[in-house]
Amino acid sequence: MYNAHRGMMPQQISSGTPRLTELLDAVRILFDEQSGRAAGEYEQQKEIHRQAAEFDHIRDRIVQLESTHLQMKADYENRIDHLQRELERRGGPMHGAPQHPGQPQPPSVGHGPRDLFGGIMAGAGGAQGDPRLAPPPQEPPQHQGLPAHLTQVSGLNTGPQPPTHQPSYPNYNGPAMNGSYSSSHAGPPLAQLAPPGYPQGPPPAASPGPNKSRRPPHAASTPQQQPGHPIPYPPSSPKGHGPTPPPGQPQHPPPPHAMTQPHHPQHQFGPPPQHRQQHPPPIQHVGNELSKLNIDDLPPHFKKMGDDWWCIFNPAIPRKLDVSLVYTIPHPSVVCCVRFSHDGRYIATGCNHAAQIYDVERQQLVSHLEEENPEQEGDLYIRSVAFSPDGKYLATGAEDRCIRVWDIAAKKVVEVFNGHENDIYSLDFSRNGRWIASGSGDRTVRLWDFERRQHAMTMLIEEGVTTVALSPDGRIVAAGSLDRSVRIWDTETGSRIESLIGQEPGMPEVPGGGHRDSVYSVAFSPTGQNLVSGSLDKCIKMWDLSGLVPPSAPGQRPPPAPKGPSRCIRTFQGHIDFVLSVALSPDGQWVMSGSKDRGVVFWDPRDGTAQLHLQGHSNSVISVAPSPKGGLFATGSGDQKARIWSYSDYRGP
C-alpha cells in the first residue's frame, strides 16, 4: 500500500505541470503586451511633444512675421501720408484725384517653376528663397474694351520742368549735352535710336513664344511685359522738380521718351523756403541701407536729384564721390546686359532679338546686330555680351543656346559655337583674345578657343550656372550658380581649384561663410587677387584669392596652386532686395552693385561701407558695367532703358 501510494505521487505532479506552464505563458504574453503598449505610448508621447514644440516654434515665427508685417505696413502708410501731404502743399494731386493714363508699362522678367529670373522683377521686392518659387505677378486692372498690353498706369502730375542749362560732367569729354547735335556728330540723336524693325514705343512682349519648348527647372525665364512702378523716391520727396505755375498758366509735361539728356534744376529740392525748418531734424541712423533715409532731412551736400533720378550720399562718412546722369538710351524691350569695350569707346547692350553698339562719346548707334531670319519665333533675349580685346568682335549669348561672334564692322556673324543644352546667361572674353567663357542653365561652364574656332573644355556642376568671369590674366575662370556657391577652375587643365560653398538657409550665420541664396554675378578685381559675388541673399561678398593667383613676372604663367583656402574677407549689406549685378571700378577703389530694389550702390572695399545709393530706374537694375577707362559706368534695367553715368571725386559744394 505504501509502495502504491508512492507510485502515484509523480503522476499527480506531472498532471499539474502543463497547467502551470500555461499560466506562466499567459502571464508572459500579458507582460509582453503591456510592455509593447507602454513602449508605443512612450513613442507616441515623444512624437506628440516633438510636434507640440514644432507647432510652438511655427506659432512664434508667425507671430514674429505678423509683427514685422504690421510694422512695415505702418511705416509705408506713414511714408505715403507724408508724401501726400507734401504733394498737396506743393500743388500736386489731392487725395482721391482721378488717375490719368501715363507711360506704357515697363516690362519685367517672367516667373514660373522653370525660370532662373523668376520673380525678380514681378511683384514686391524682398522675397526670400528660391526665385523659381516666386508667386505669379499681379496683373493691373484693365480698362474695359482694351487688351492687356494697351493698359496704362497713372502717373503723378509733376508740373512743368525747370529751364535747362548746359550741364557739366566730371571726367567726361563728350559733346554738348543740350539735346542737339552738331554737324560734326553724324547720326541720329539717342531719342531716335529705335533699332530697325522696332516701333518707337515699347511693343507688347509675351513669354514664352508659341514655339518655345518647356525647359527643366534650372532654366531661365524670358523677360515679360509687366506692370511698372515709378522710381521709389525717398520719403517726403516728390518727383516734381519745378515750382507750381501761377494760376491760369498751363502745365505742359514733356512727352514720353522725348528727352534723353538730363535736366538739372536751378534750385534746391524740398519745401518752399517759407516752409523749411530752420533747424533740420537729426539724421536717422540706417547703416548702409541708405534708401531708407528721409531725403528732406539730409544736408544739401549729401543728396543730389535730377529729373527722374536721385542719389543719397552716406551722411555717416565723408563724401568722396559725385555722380551725374550723362544720357539715356531707350530700348524697345528689357535691357538684359550692358558692357563697355576695352578702350571705353563703345558700349554694347542686349535686349529682345538684338544687340546694339553705341559710340559713347558721340552718343550714336554704331551697329544693330540681329539675324535677319531667326529660327526661333517669339522672344529671344540676348542675356550677355562681351567685346574682344581689340574691339573688332562682339560675342552674344542668348536663349537659343548658341554663342554668336559678330564682326562689328561687317555686321555679320563670323562664328557660332554650339554645345550648350539650355539658355546661355553669361559670357566673358579673355584679355588675350583666346578664350570665351560661357555659363548656362544646363549646369555647365564651357571654354571656347576663339583663335582655333573650337570648343576647348567643359566644367560640370550641380546646378544651373548664372554668371561667369575670367581673371585679368586668363589663368582661372569663376562661376556662380543657383546652389549658392562660387567655383573656380584652371583654364589650362580644366581642374577645379576652389569651391566657395554657400551656407544653408535658416542656419546661423557663419563668419566668413558663403552666400545663403543663389549667386547671380561675379567679377574679378583689376589685380585678380580678389573676387566679388552678388546674390539673391541681398549681399555682396569679397573673396581673397591670393592663394590661387600668385603674382608672376610678365610673360610667365605659373599654374594656379592653392596655398590655403580662399576666404570671405568682406560682406557688403545694404540692399533691400536681390543683388543682380556686381562690378569693380578699373582702379579697384569701388565696388558697384545693381539690385532688384532698382538702386545702384557704390561700396568702399576697404571697410565695406556704402558711399552712395543711386536710384535711376523704375525697374530692376539687371546689369552694371564700369568703363575700363574710368569716370563712367552704365546700367541696364527692366524699364527698357540703358543709362550712362559719370562719377568723379567730390570737390565740395
Side-chain angles (χ1 to χ4, degrees), residues 392-411:
K392 295 181 179 179
Y393 303 100
L394 183 75
T396 62
E399 296 176 330
D400 62 356
R401 312 171 186 180
C402 297
I403 301 170
R404 293 174 176 84
V405 182
W406 298 78
D407 184 313
I408 297 174
K411 300 182 182 180

Side-chain angles (χ1 to χ4, degrees), residues 294-374:
N294 187 329
I295 199 167
D296 285 345
D297 295 344
L298 297 176
H301 58 284
F302 282 118
K303 58 186 175 184
K304 188 171 185 178
M305 301 182 71
D307 286 337
D308 58 355
W309 63 274
W310 53 264
C311 186
I312 288 178
F313 302 90
N314 194 339
I317 59 176
R319 178 176 171 182
K320 298 180 180 179
L321 288 177
D322 191 23
V323 172
S324 295
L325 174 64
V326 182
Y327 58 90
T328 300
I329 308 173
H331 284 68
S333 65
V334 171
V335 181
C336 296
C337 51
V338 292
R339 197 77 167 263
F340 282 90
S341 61
H342 289 258
D343 58 8
R345 292 182 56 191
Y346 302 101
I347 185 171
T349 65
C351 61
N352 194 9
H353 283 287
Q356 293 78 219
I357 300 176
Y358 300 88
D359 187 303
V360 174
E361 182 176 353
R362 293 173 178 260
Q363 305 177 26
Q364 296 175 3
L365 178 65
V366 174
S367 294
H368 175 82
L369 307 177
E370 180 180 4
E371 287 193 318
E372 295 182 359
N373 299 310

Side-chain angles (χ1 to χ4, degrees), residues 373-415:
N373 299 310
E375 296 180 0
Q376 181 172 343
E377 298 181 5
D379 294 333
L380 181 63
Y381 279 83
I382 308 299
R383 295 289 193 185
S384 185
V385 294
F387 282 96
S388 62
D390 57 11
K392 295 181 179 179
Y393 303 100
L394 183 75
T396 62
E399 296 176 330
D400 62 356
R401 312 171 186 180
C402 297
I403 301 170
R404 293 174 176 84
V405 182
W406 298 78
D407 184 313
I408 297 174
K411 300 182 182 180
K412 66 178 183 180
V413 176
V414 296
E415 190 64 48

Side-chain angles (χ1 to χ4, degrees), residues 266-553:
Q266 296 179 347
H267 64 278
Q268 177 62 43
F269 290 90
Q274 62 270 23
H275 296 294
R276 291 178 182 166
Q277 301 181 15
Q278 298 297 324
H279 302 285
I283 299 173
Q284 180 184 3
H285 178 71
V286 296
N288 285 334
E289 295 182 342
L290 303 183
S291 61
K292 294 184 176 180
L293 287 172
N294 187 329
I295 199 167
D296 285 345
D297 295 344
L298 297 176
H301 58 284
F302 282 118
K303 58 186 175 184
K304 188 171 185 178
M305 301 182 71
D307 286 337
D308 58 355
W309 63 274
W310 53 264
C311 186
I312 288 178
F313 302 90
N314 194 339
I317 59 176
R319 178 176 171 182
K320 298 180 180 179
L321 288 177
D322 191 23
V323 172
S324 295
L325 174 64
V326 182
Y327 58 90
T328 300
I329 308 173
H331 284 68
S333 65
V334 171
V335 181
C336 296
C337 51
V338 292
R339 197 77 167 263
F340 282 90
S341 61
H342 289 258
D343 58 8
R345 292 182 56 191
Y346 302 101
I347 185 171
T349 65
C351 61
N352 194 9
H353 283 287
Q356 293 78 219
I357 300 176
Y358 300 88
D359 187 303
V360 174
E361 182 176 353
R362 293 173 178 260
Q363 305 177 26
Q364 296 175 3
L365 178 65
V366 174
S367 294
H368 175 82
L369 307 177
E370 180 180 4
E371 287 193 318
E372 295 182 359
N373 299 310
E375 296 180 0
Q376 181 172 343
E377 298 181 5
D379 294 333
L380 181 63
Y381 279 83
I382 308 299
R383 295 289 193 185
S384 185
V385 294
F387 282 96
S388 62
D390 57 11
K392 295 181 179 179
Y393 303 100
L394 183 75
T396 62
E399 296 176 330
D400 62 356
R401 312 171 186 180
C402 297
I403 301 170
R404 293 174 176 84
V405 182
W406 298 78
D407 184 313
I408 297 174
K411 300 182 182 180
K412 66 178 183 180
V413 176
V414 296
E415 190 64 48
V416 177
F417 293 115
N418 294 294
H420 279 296
E421 299 176 358
N422 211 307
D423 299 1
I424 297 169
Y425 302 126
S426 185
L427 294 175
D428 200 12
F429 232 120
S430 65
R431 295 192 181 182
N432 61 5
R434 179 183 178 185
W435 301 114
I436 297 176
S438 59
S440 167
D442 63 7
R443 307 177 183 180
T444 65
V445 175
R446 295 175 185 255
L447 282 181
W448 312 85
D449 192 325
F450 182 59
E451 294 177 352
R452 299 180 180 179
R453 301 295 202 270
Q454 64 184 18
H455 172 257
M457 63 186 70
T458 298
M459 288 75 81
L460 180 66
I461 65 173
E462 290 76 14
E463 278 284 0
V465 178
T466 57
T467 174
V468 295
L470 285 159
S471 62
D473 58 8
R475 299 179 188 177
I476 59 178
V477 58
S481 67
L482 295 176
D483 64 359
R484 308 181 300 276
S485 300
V486 178
R487 296 170 177 83
I488 301 173
W489 295 268
D490 182 352
T491 56
E492 286 294 331
T493 64
S495 60
R496 186 187 300 182
I497 57 177
E498 184 63 280
S499 295
L500 309 174
I501 303 299
Q503 303 183 57
E504 289 293 333
M507 299 299 290
E509 180 76 21
V510 177
H515 287 288
R516 304 173 73 88
D517 210 332
S518 302
V519 178
Y520 263 44
S521 183
V522 293
F524 281 95
S525 65
T527 63
Q529 301 289 302
N530 295 314
L531 180 80
V532 292
S533 55
S535 167
L536 300 191
D537 63 6
K538 310 177 189 178
C539 296
I540 302 103
K541 289 183 178 288
M542 175 172 281
W543 306 86
D544 179 12
L545 304 184
S546 57
L548 303 180
V549 190
S552 61

